[in-house]
Amino acid sequence: MASSGDRSAPGKPAPGAGGQSGAAMAGAAAAGGTAGAGAGTAAKRLAEHEELQRKVDAVARQAPNLTWAAGLREDETTTVLVTDLAGGWIPPTIKLPPGVTLLNPAHRRRDTSAVDLLGAVVAAAAHQPNTYITEAGPHDPVPGTGERARYGQHIDELGPTLIDAAGTNARLPRIVQTVARAVARRSGVADNEIDLFRQVVTDTQARVVSAYPEHAPKDVADWMLLAAIDGLIDGSEEIARYHLAWYQAVAIRHGGVTP
């Protein structure tokens, strides 16, 4: 509608039907289109956030005492999932929901928040330790259906590299070296040796999780190495590569293991 300051010039016809000039109607249409687009974008972002929250909740139910975050990248197709446990590493105990991408192994600043680890995103969702999580619904993502997100890491000579990493880690008991050599060479591992090895895994995991967020980086690195060995016990070279690549990224620095 024309503003109160508009006047029809003498001798010219009055504005068209409804008292609106063509310019006024065009302006109103443009404003309405902008408002509609804004509402559509807001609704889209809300739906994206809700979907991200469902993915976050799917992993947070498995480890509610950790910080989790998921974000939608600017391409609007890539969903990144992280925890701040070790700059983006996802522990082996976590079953991944479908449709997620994981960060590449890298040494990152320890004080970087989970949300900041996501990088540039158009939508994000997060879980803070020991906060409320809704119960899983029938349409929520199924944990374990996105395990291929861990695939794709390259390790030169996986077996020898794993043996060397275990052999140079003086913090872990000898059973770890024994099992690492056996699985890397495919020479077979006795059940009692696997039991002893997995007790080391359990103890290391408990040490990290109980101390979080003040956990020692060296303990997380040990957990990564143990997870790589355990991956080979279960017959998955892809899982072993994922965890060993992270171990190499965060533990091997300046020719030694991070203290």
Side-chain angles (χ1 to χ4, degrees), residues 207-224:
R207 189 158 56 249
V208 171
V209 174
S210 64
Y212 177 88
E214 304 301 327
H215 54 283
K218 64 181 180 181
D219 290 335
V220 182
D222 289 347
W223 192 6
M224 293 172 179

Side-chain angles (χ1 to χ4, degrees), residues 51 54 137-141:
E51 178 60 24
R54 283 191 285 269
H139 302 297
D140 280 358

Side-chain angles (χ1 to χ4, degrees), residues 56-242:
V56 168
D57 290 347
V59 291
R61 291 186 191 101
Q62 302 172 62
N65 54 332
L66 300 181
T67 300
W68 295 95
L72 183 65
R73 288 275 169 84
E74 292 175 323
D75 61 9
E76 299 193 3
T77 60
T78 304
T79 297
V80 183
L81 176 71
V82 302
T83 175
D84 64 350
L85 185 63
W89 175 64
I90 308 298
T93 52
I94 301 302
K95 296 179 180 179
L96 298 175
V100 296
T101 298
L102 308 183
L103 292 184
N104 286 326
H107 186 273
R108 299 178 175 94
R109 288 180 51 174
R110 191 179 180 189
D111 60 355
T112 304
S113 72
V115 172
D116 287 341
L117 285 169
L118 296 174
V121 293
V122 297
H127 165 79
Q128 297 303 317
N130 300 315
T131 55
Y132 175 75
I133 310 170
T134 60
E135 293 185 5
H139 302 297
D140 280 358
V142 178
T145 54
E147 289 306 306
R148 290 189 65 85
R150 284 192 172 102
Y151 293 6
Q153 297 299 326
H154 176 74
I155 297 289
D156 291 330
E157 298 184 314
L158 175 60
T161 302
L162 191 64
I163 292 172
D164 182 64
T168 56
N169 189 321
R171 294 187 306 275
L172 295 173
R174 187 170 296 276
I175 186 62
V176 173
Q177 300 173 26
T178 300
V179 172
R181 285 194 299 268
V183 295
R185 295 168 179 167
R186 300 182 180 180
S187 58
V189 190
D191 289 345
N192 66 316
E193 292 178 327
I194 292 177
D195 291 341
L196 289 171
F197 169 81
R198 286 186 167 155
Q199 186 58 54
V200 177
V201 177
T202 299
D203 293 344
T204 304
Q205 173 187 338
R207 189 158 56 249
V208 171
V209 174
S210 64
Y212 177 88
E214 304 301 327
H215 54 283
K218 64 181 180 181
D219 290 335
V220 182
D222 289 347
W223 192 6
M224 293 172 179
L225 178 57
L226 294 168
I229 298 168
D230 214 8
L232 281 188
I233 291 175
D234 290 335
S236 176
E237 290 192 1
E238 290 286 0
I239 295 299
R241 287 191 188 100
Y242 172 78

